[in-house]
Amino acid sequence: MLLYSCIVSALTEFVMENLGKQFIENPPVDLATLYQDMSPATPLVFILSTGSDPMGAFQRFAKERDYSERVQSISLGQGQGPIAERMIKDALRTGNWVFLQNCHLAVSWMLPMEELIKTFTEPGATIHENFRLYLSSMPCTTFPVTVLQNSVKVTNEPPKGLRANIRRAFTEMTPTFFEENILGKIWRKIIFGICFFHAIIQERKKFGPLGWNICYEFNDSDRECALLNLNLYCQEGKIPWDALTYITGEITYGGRVTDAWDQRCLRTILKRFFSPETLGEEYKYSESGIYFAPVADSLQNFKEYIENLPLIDDPEIFGMHENANLRKETNTLISTILDVQPRTTAQGSGKSNDEIVHELASSILAKIPVLLFNFQNSLQTLNKAIAGFVVMSEEMERVYHSFLNNQVPGLWANAAYPSLKPLGGWVKDLVLRTSFIDFWLKRGQPKSFWISGFFFPQGFLTGLENQFSLPSPEDGVLVHGMFMDASRWDDEEMVIEDALPRQMNPMLPVIHFEPHQNYEPHPSLYHAPLYKTGARAGTLSTTGHSTNFVVTVLLPSKRPSDYWISKGSALLCQLNE
């Protein structure tokens, strides 16, 4: 685990030392330079990625060129192709600029668009010298190759890291907007707070489910909208915090957030960077004291401060524990490295694939209970297909390859409970679940219920509520089998505490569930969501909760709830391994 926590930082330092700092950070997109490579017949193509939006930068560039009144843009989609075609033909004559956004959404119009752009270079074509065509598209196979070959191309990716993210925001900001406001230094602090908040919520995605249950596409337009609203509401030199907090947290950014627990997290983060408390002279964004809004008068002063921010973000600025670095980013990096390695086959006397799969199928067949007919039938059919007694169907072919990759076959996963375990752990878990139910049937109700052993834990809890709504309720039930994510249990203080270094998912002790009518929890209790798997995300239900969500568990804590919310602290029914 220690190796995993250091690998991203070590590789970053290695690249920076041997190749240079420019290979670590994305350079800002300079439209003025790109414009010099364009011509009336040579379009500019923005290749989009999740979280990026070039429209804001394009509009500012058009304004700098005194061309904002002569820009026409359209977001392509069903039925928009003919409108865009008329727009281009008109601009060829008048010299306007045309921006066709999201070309990947207009698959059927890509061929007509290609033919139209080809006419730009035909002999005798009449094109106004000021005409320019801008296109944006996500990577897709339907975008015309000839257009790509004969255009200026730029990849517009969201910046990586807090410093790069905030730098982009201040690169795109004008001195007039930043410096000339009646609120003075307070105005500049608030703007910096919004930009920092935007960077934080974007960068939390690198922590996987710890950061957000669902990976949202926050982009530059959200930040620009928040800043415009700020400017609109502060015209008279007063700051209506309640209105601004609601608009920013519930509409501008919150409008994208669909999961109820993510909404709670967003509101909590917003308070750290956008509230009256942030205007204090000694206010810091985190305990380290490294991150704060500088007291300065010019945009250039803020840019200089940003350049001196750490290149590698410490989890503490996100409110995260150091263990958070052991998660998604490192796994993604290692997986990518392995994916690009050449595939070689070693010659030797090892077992064939058929032998491996046959032995694995026979081993599983011996472990699972006889009553699980579907699993037994598929395993027996697979062994017969390997032996050549029956034809290897497409379905059995998929099971075969899943076994080779230590993955749970889709045939089984679709009929079972949610799980992220590999095949070996999944089979072991299945045996334990059936044993738990078998023990209950044969020996009566257990003293403590293994909540992770239920196919549908919510049903068990609903039954529990119904049972204890009788006139003479007992004292509830004991439940065990839950794991803690981004926290641990302190037996001495009887509260939740920070996880220990490199101890990812400690067990939660046995919990006493006791139903109460009209129960009002004490404010010191942390409302911890319990999820079936570490993915946390699932299908969104009408309640605003994921189908992966089971129940809220109230845990005693000496720290405020915001502390645990920022960390993404939750409970899990099962681990990934």
Side-chain angles (χ1 to χ4, degrees):
M1 280 295 193
L2 182 60
L3 172 63
Y4 271 61
S5 66
C6 298
I7 193 166
V8 174
S9 298
L11 283 174
T12 302
E13 293 289 342
F14 177 83
V15 171
M16 189 164 56
E17 187 173 326
N18 290 274
L19 297 177
K21 194 175 177 181
Q22 66 271 26
F23 287 91
I24 297 298
E25 297 180 299
N26 289 333
V29 175
D30 184 7
L31 283 175
T33 303
L34 295 170
Y35 184 81
Q36 295 175 6
D37 295 328
M38 295 178 67
S39 74
T42 307
L44 172 63
V45 180
F46 293 97
I47 302 172
L48 304 175
S49 59
T50 302
S52 67
D53 183 6
M55 192 60 186
F58 170 75
Q59 289 174 332
R60 282 188 296 274
F61 174 67
K63 188 175 182 180
E64 290 170 6
R65 306 278 302 191
D66 293 326
Y67 229 78
S68 55
E69 299 298 322
R70 300 185 61 183
V71 170
Q72 294 177 294
S73 65
I74 185 171
S75 183
L76 294 179
Q78 187 173 6
Q80 299 300 302
I83 300 173
E85 186 170 342
R86 289 195 297 270
M87 196 179 286
I88 292 173
K89 289 179 177 178
D90 181 62
L92 288 170
R93 178 177 50 82
T94 61
N96 288 346
W97 291 0
V98 176
F99 192 163
L100 305 184
Q101 302 178 70
N102 302 318
C103 293
H104 57 283
L105 300 180
V107 176
S108 61
W109 190 67
M110 285 299 95
L111 184 58
M113 184 187 79
E114 180 181 21
E115 295 300 321
L116 178 60
I117 294 175
K118 281 181 181 178
T119 64
F120 295 176
T121 55
E122 290 179 355
T126 304
I127 305 179
H128 195 288
E129 61 179 1
N130 292 332
F131 167 77
R132 295 292 185 275
L133 177 63
Y134 301 84
L135 310 167
S136 73
S137 175
M138 294 289 284
C140 63
T141 57
T142 56
F143 194 90
V145 175
T146 57
V147 176
L148 279 177
Q149 291 172 337
N150 298 290
S151 63
V152 179
K153 295 164 284 292
V154 59
T155 302
N156 194 53
E157 294 183 342
K160 185 175 176 60
L162 290 178
R163 185 173 77 170
N165 201 306
I166 301 168
R167 177 203 282 161
R168 171 182 279 196
F170 276 76
T171 300
E172 297 175 353
M173 202 173 297
T174 63
T176 303
F177 179 83
F178 186 71
E179 298 169 5
E180 298 176 11
N181 189 282
I182 192 172
L183 290 171
K185 288 183 172 62
I186 291 177
W187 170 256
R188 293 185 277 279
K189 269 199 168 188
I190 297 174
I191 287 182
F192 190 82
I194 287 181
C195 294
F196 214 109
F197 162 74
H198 179 86
I200 288 287
I201 63 173
Q202 275 204 319
E203 289 299 309
R204 278 182 74 94
K205 288 185 284 190
K206 70 183 179 183
F207 298 110
L210 273 183
W212 299 109
N213 287 357
I214 299 170
C215 192
Y216 302 101
E217 295 185 14
F218 300 116
N219 57 45
D220 295 346
S221 297
D222 299 324
R223 183 189 64 237
E224 291 177 14
C225 183
L227 292 175
L228 289 173
N229 283 329
L230 177 65
N231 188 44
L232 179 65
Y233 277 77
C234 296
Q235 292 286 344
E236 298 179 1
K238 296 180 181 179
I239 310 169
W241 282 111
D242 290 343
L244 284 171
T245 301
Y246 182 83
I247 290 172
T248 307
E250 304 294 331
I251 301 175
T252 304
Y253 287 95
R256 293 187 182 274
V257 180
T258 52
D259 184 273
W261 297 104
D262 285 340
Q263 289 170 346
R264 180 182 75 160
C265 183
L266 183 78
R267 291 192 293 268
T268 300
I269 298 168
L270 185 62
K271 283 190 291 185
R272 287 176 52 208
F273 301 96
F274 189 63
S275 63
E277 292 76 22
T278 64
L279 303 181
E281 291 186 9
E282 302 301 320
Y283 186 84
K284 309 291 183 184
Y285 292 141
S286 65
E287 292 182 2
S288 68
I290 297 172
Y291 302 93
F292 56 89
V295 180
D297 294 324
S298 70
L299 183 64
Q300 184 58 34
N301 292 146
F302 274 77
K303 288 182 177 180
E304 290 170 1
Y305 167 77
I306 293 166
E307 290 303 315
N308 291 319
L309 290 176
L311 182 63
I312 300 172
D313 307 323
D314 194 284
E316 65 97 25
I317 182 57
F318 299 93
M320 295 282 194
H321 189 271
E322 62 181 279
N323 287 349
N325 266 347
L326 307 179
R327 300 292 184 112
K328 182 182 176 184
E329 193 170 29
T330 302
N331 292 333
T332 302
L333 176 64
I334 292 175
S335 298
T336 303
I337 292 173
L338 292 175
D339 285 342
V340 299
Q341 295 303 303
R343 298 289 187 263
T344 56
T345 304
Q347 300 295 322
S349 56
K351 296 178 181 177
S352 67
N353 288 346
D354 283 357
E355 290 173 325
I356 293 171
V357 173
H358 175 73
E359 288 183 9
L360 185 55
S362 300
S363 173
I364 296 172
L365 198 56
K367 292 176 182 176
I368 63 173
V370 178
L371 294 175
L372 299 172
F373 299 114
N374 289 338
F375 294 96
Q376 286 180 315
N377 288 339
S378 60
L379 288 168
Q380 291 167 352
T381 303
L382 180 62
N383 277 340
K384 290 177 181 177
I386 292 172
F389 296 132
V390 296
V391 176
M392 179 74 79
S393 66
E394 186 177 343
E395 188 176 67
M396 286 298 105
E397 187 81 28
R398 287 195 290 267
V399 174
Y400 182 95
H401 287 293
S402 296
F403 277 25
L404 284 177
N405 296 323
N406 194 28
Q407 296 173 341
V408 181
L411 177 66
W412 295 0
N414 294 337
Y417 43 85
S419 178
L420 302 177
K421 293 179 180 292
L423 180 61
W426 190 88
V427 171
K428 182 179 178 182
D429 183 53
L430 175 65
V431 172
L432 289 174
R433 285 168 181 258
T434 53
S435 298
F436 165 63
I437 301 298
D438 186 60
F439 184 90
W440 188 353
L441 289 171
K442 292 179 179 177
R443 303 192 185 185
Q445 181 172 309
K447 292 181 179 179
S448 176
F449 291 88
W450 182 36
I451 193 169
S452 308
F454 291 104
F455 187 104
F456 188 62
Q458 296 97 315
F460 165 72
L461 295 171
T462 301
L464 176 63
E465 288 180 355
N466 293 335
Q467 178 181 350
F468 292 107
S469 63
L470 301 174
S472 302
E474 297 181 13
D475 294 329
V477 295
L478 299 177
V479 170
H480 68 278
M482 290 176 277
F483 300 89
M484 305 186 74
D485 204 12
S487 64
R488 67 178 172 88
W489 180 255
D490 187 332
D491 282 324
E492 294 183 3
E493 299 291 335
M494 297 297 287
V495 294
I496 57 170
E497 260 303 343
D498 275 334
L500 297 175
R502 295 180 296 282
Q503 291 188 10
M504 302 302 294
N505 297 108
M507 288 288 299
L508 180 70
V510 175
I511 289 285
H512 182 204
F513 277 89
E514 185 177 5
H516 282 266
Q517 288 186 348
N518 304 318
Y519 175 66
E520 291 291 335
H522 193 274
S524 64
L525 294 171
Y526 172 58
H527 293 232
L530 171 65
Y531 296 100
K532 296 175 186 175
T533 71
R536 302 195 185 187
T539 305
L540 202 66
S541 66
T542 54
T543 62
H545 291 300
S546 158
T547 51
N548 206 333
F549 169 73
V550 178
V551 71
T552 303
V553 181
L554 304 176
L555 299 174
S557 170
K558 289 186 175 181
R559 302 177 187 269
S561 291
D562 287 358
Y563 182 82
W564 301 112
I565 292 170
S566 296
K567 278 181 163 47
S569 300
L571 301 175
L572 306 176
C573 285
Q574 60 170 286
L575 303 182
N576 297 357
E577 298 177 355

